Amino acid sequence: MFNNNNNEDDDFWGQLQGLGNYNTHGNLTVAEDAQFFMSQASKFDNMTIAFNNATIQKNGDNLKYVGTCAVVRDLVYLVDSIYGEGSDINFWGISYGTVIGVYLTQMFPERVGKVILDGVYDAEKQANVAPMKWLDQDYKGVESALIKWTEACAAGTGPTCGFASETGISTPDGILSKIKQMLDTAHRTYDGTPVTASSINDDIRHWPYEYILQTIRTQLYDQSSWSWLDRLFLKLLKSQSGTSSSFKDIELDSRLFKRGPATYGFFPEIYEYNYVNFAVYCGDTIDPQGETTQDLFTLTVQAAQSVSPNFASLTPAYSPRYD
């Protein structure tokens, strides 16, 4: 959308950053934060309209060919070209690949050989139910993963958990409570420094609540990165105690240094400037029935207060998929 131009990308998404802007909204279970968040709906709405217009201007009619149906047709064509026309399609789908696998079985059942769906995503719901109708369920799995991490940390199973020994906390509930306390402190002390696509500040004191939370979510996705999550919490703890705030002194996976647009968090380099996820999601889901950004924000607050207190506030970071 921005021709791989860091400055254009930073300027656009920078509309959401800094003190008094969307990404400083904090924990939506707190009345003050929820009220501020709701006040940002119109500004966020204007941003998504601009995003939509810029995407259409750049891509034109090509967008009608974007979506999982098109991906599956391409997959069938590749199998025909490589293995011979009409060959069985054996498919293993991970993450978004789960959606592709489901679509494959429905669009070309006669071509299916063996299909493994290695994910928990509900592709049928994505295709048939308006996104806002199941928004409150979107992050239940992430909440469960965080609980599992705290249990493993407290029990000393899996990767070594330095956070438990450093804090002297030995129960999952205690660890979770400490994490929430640190996140709230990070939110209250954030100085407004923007997070850009061209650089990630090594000083965690300059990371906004949204960015930290999205980074936690990203690392929970794969248990192999749980040990890095331990280092994140340790660094957050030490930065707030005045001991250390830079990530330069700890070993990090080099794949974790690129930021996906608008989602705030560490992603593999291939995701930088990757807006196709928005286009695919919008292409797959049913058309909106008059829902507004105000509706989206209201449902997000409700989801945070009743279903996913730690991660529901991230949903509008993906909101172009709802528009």
Side-chain angles (χ1 to χ4, degrees), residues 5-27:
N5 185 306
N6 280 358
N7 292 331
E8 288 185 63
D9 186 89
D10 291 343
D11 288 345
F12 184 82
W13 296 111
Q15 298 175 75
L16 304 181
Q17 299 193 46
L19 295 176
N21 285 315
Y22 162 81
N23 80 329
T24 59
H25 65 253
N27 188 336

Side-chain angles (χ1 to χ4, degrees), residues 145-167:
L146 180 59
I147 297 300
K148 292 296 183 182
W149 184 89
T150 62
E151 291 173 351
C153 182
T157 58
T160 301
C161 185
F163 184 74
S165 58
E166 183 74 21
T167 59

Side-chain angles (χ1 to χ4, degrees), residues 132-191:
M132 284 199 209
K133 300 296 184 182
W134 52 282
L135 178 150
D136 60 340
Q137 302 299 309
D138 217 15
Y139 279 99
K140 289 184 71 174
V142 190
E143 290 286 342
S144 298
L146 180 59
I147 297 300
K148 292 296 183 182
W149 184 89
T150 62
E151 291 173 351
C153 182
T157 58
T160 301
C161 185
F163 184 74
S165 58
E166 183 74 21
T167 59
I169 301 173
S170 59
T171 66
D173 287 345
I175 292 171
L176 184 60
S177 178
K178 183 62 178 179
I179 290 171
K180 290 180 177 179
Q181 178 188 345
M182 292 192 305
L183 286 171
D184 184 69
T185 299
H187 170 52
R188 306 300 166 191
T189 58
Y190 173 55
D191 64 2

Side-chain angles (χ1 to χ4, degrees), residues 101-155:
V102 172
Y103 272 61
L104 172 65
T105 63
Q106 300 304 303
M107 293 173 62
F108 297 94
E110 74 283 359
R111 297 295 305 275
V112 173
K114 299 178 178 67
V115 172
I116 299 174
L117 303 180
D118 195 358
V120 296
Y121 194 77
D122 192 333
E124 183 178 359
K125 182 170 59 177
Q126 171 176 306
N128 296 290
V129 180
M132 284 199 209
K133 300 296 184 182
W134 52 282
L135 178 150
D136 60 340
Q137 302 299 309
D138 217 15
Y139 279 99
K140 289 184 71 174
V142 190
E143 290 286 342
S144 298
L146 180 59
I147 297 300
K148 292 296 183 182
W149 184 89
T150 62
E151 291 173 351
C153 182

Side-chain angles (χ1 to χ4, degrees), residues 300-316:
T300 299
V301 172
Q302 292 174 356
Q305 295 179 352
S306 62
V307 177
S308 178
N310 295 298
F311 298 101
S313 64
L314 290 172
T315 302

